[in-house]
Amino acid sequence: MIILVVGATGKTGQLVVKQLLDCGEKVRVIVRFPDKLSETILSHPNISVITVSNVLHINKHEMREYVKDCKTVISCLGHNLTLSGIFGPPFKLVTDVTKLICHAIKENKPQRKIKYILMNTTGNSNKNHRETVSLAEKCVLGIIRLLVPPHRDNEKAADYLRTEIGQDNLEIEWTAVRPDSLLNLDEVTKYSIFPSPIRSAIFNPGKTSRINVAHFMSELIINEELWEKWKGKMPVIYNDDSVVEEGNV
């Protein structure tokens, strides 16, 4: 069985793909620019690359073919951090691709449930739980929601999984992984997972390395006990130094 990764050319996406390949998994990626992938990834015998002009231009029939032999889909999609990437179309990239893939999975009627892992953000609250958010933070997030389309997109993508796919879907199980402020490290370090944020994403953000996010996502696929713990939830991941700062260990 294959793992499909979308957003594979991004900084976190490439790390996810490499982690999976290092674990012996077969990986399929859908990308616009395959030359953005490292030579290590492109030359690996377990990688297959689908090149498209725009992932949103994939029709339902094509997506059904891309996911029919997959056991897991990982979305590391995000908006480019440029003026046009943040404020220009596509405004609902992550949400629309999530819907497209989930619809394709359901139409294939798989014999076993397919895992969908969405990379999200601590700036998005899990509305299935009463997460504590201060009034000031709510006000700031409200402004961000109005003025920054990618934030709305991240919220809507997670909301689709939470409300439309839900907890008892016959074809799909999901989790939305929420890192805090992302940074680049070369190696996996100690990190901790929480059901909800332990610090303010706006006024007291923690740190999460991209390689730790990639490691956790890979473990969710490989470790069934870990998956059972976090499926249908929105786990928050912090590097352990952020947890120590907050006094939680």
Side-chain angles (χ1 to χ4, degrees), residues 70-121:
C70 294
K71 63 179 180 180
T72 303
V73 176
I74 297 178
S75 172
C76 293
L77 281 172
H79 297 253
N80 292 327
L81 297 180
T82 62
L83 280 176
S84 60
I86 294 173
F87 298 107
F91 300 110
K92 299 189 295 179
L93 170 67
V94 182
T95 303
D96 288 345
V97 172
T98 296
K99 290 180 178 180
L100 175 64
I101 292 174
C102 289
H103 182 78
I105 291 171
K106 288 191 276 188
E107 287 212 332
N108 282 338
K109 301 187 184 303
Q111 294 184 350
R112 55 178 291 179
K113 291 186 178 183
I114 308 303
K115 297 176 181 177
Y116 193 99
I117 301 174
L118 174 69
M119 183 173 170
N120 209 243
T121 171

Side-chain angles (χ1 to χ4, degrees), residues 12-52:
T12 306
Q14 293 213 45
L15 294 170
V16 170
V17 173
K18 186 178 184 304
Q19 289 266 0
L20 294 171
L21 293 173
D22 288 347
C23 292
E25 299 287 346
K26 293 182 179 180
V27 182
R28 174 180 297 149
V29 299
I30 300 176
V31 297
R32 292 178 62 191
F33 305 109
D35 57 337
K36 288 187 175 182
L37 294 167
S38 70
E39 184 57 36
T40 301
I41 291 173
L42 286 172
S43 62
H44 200 284
N46 283 354
I47 192 74
S48 59
V49 180
I50 298 168
T51 304
V52 298

Side-chain angles (χ1 to χ4, degrees), residues 37-240:
L37 294 167
S38 70
E39 184 57 36
T40 301
I41 291 173
L42 286 172
S43 62
H44 200 284
N46 283 354
I47 192 74
S48 59
V49 180
I50 298 168
T51 304
V52 298
S53 61
N54 188 324
V55 67
L56 291 174
H57 293 168
I58 299 173
N59 64 45
K60 294 178 181 180
H61 175 74
E62 290 171 329
M63 189 58 81
R64 284 182 62 181
E65 289 298 307
Y66 296 155
V67 302
K68 73 177 182 181
D69 53 354
C70 294
K71 63 179 180 180
T72 303
V73 176
I74 297 178
S75 172
C76 293
L77 281 172
H79 297 253
N80 292 327
L81 297 180
T82 62
L83 280 176
S84 60
I86 294 173
F87 298 107
F91 300 110
K92 299 189 295 179
L93 170 67
V94 182
T95 303
D96 288 345
V97 172
T98 296
K99 290 180 178 180
L100 175 64
I101 292 174
C102 289
H103 182 78
I105 291 171
K106 288 191 276 188
E107 287 212 332
N108 282 338
K109 301 187 184 303
Q111 294 184 350
R112 55 178 291 179
K113 291 186 178 183
I114 308 303
K115 297 176 181 177
Y116 193 99
I117 301 174
L118 174 69
M119 183 173 170
N120 209 243
T121 171
T122 53
N124 179 27
S125 296
N126 182 358
K127 299 177 183 63
N128 285 349
H129 296 279
R130 292 184 176 180
E131 297 187 343
T132 302
V133 180
S134 69
L135 178 59
E137 188 169 356
K138 286 180 180 178
C139 292
V140 173
L141 286 171
I143 293 170
I144 293 173
R145 188 177 297 115
L146 286 172
L147 300 181
V148 185
H151 183 76
R152 292 199 302 273
D153 189 20
N154 279 325
E155 289 185 328
K156 289 182 180 297
D159 284 348
Y160 174 79
L161 294 175
R162 187 177 54 80
T163 61
E164 298 298 323
I165 302 302
Q167 303 294 327
D168 301 309
N169 193 277
L170 297 177
E171 293 91 11
I172 302 169
E173 295 179 331
W174 62 273
T175 186
V177 177
R178 293 184 287 172
D180 213 335
S181 300
L182 289 165
L183 70 156
N184 298 318
L185 293 179
D186 294 329
E187 296 181 355
V188 176
T189 61
K190 291 183 178 181
Y191 60 85
S192 297
I193 310 297
F194 298 88
S196 297
I198 62 169
R199 52 198 304 162
S200 167
I202 300 297
F203 300 113
N204 184 28
K207 295 181 176 65
T208 313
S209 65
R210 290 181 170 88
I211 198 166
N212 283 350
V213 177
H215 184 269
F216 179 55
M217 286 181 165
S218 300
E219 286 295 304
L220 284 169
I221 297 168
I222 297 164
N223 186 331
E224 282 301 319
E225 184 177 348
L226 189 68
W227 177 258
E228 287 298 317
K229 179 177 181 178
W230 293 112
K231 70 179 182 181
K233 299 176 182 178
M234 296 173 61
V236 178
I237 174 172
Y238 297 103
N239 289 2
D240 269 8

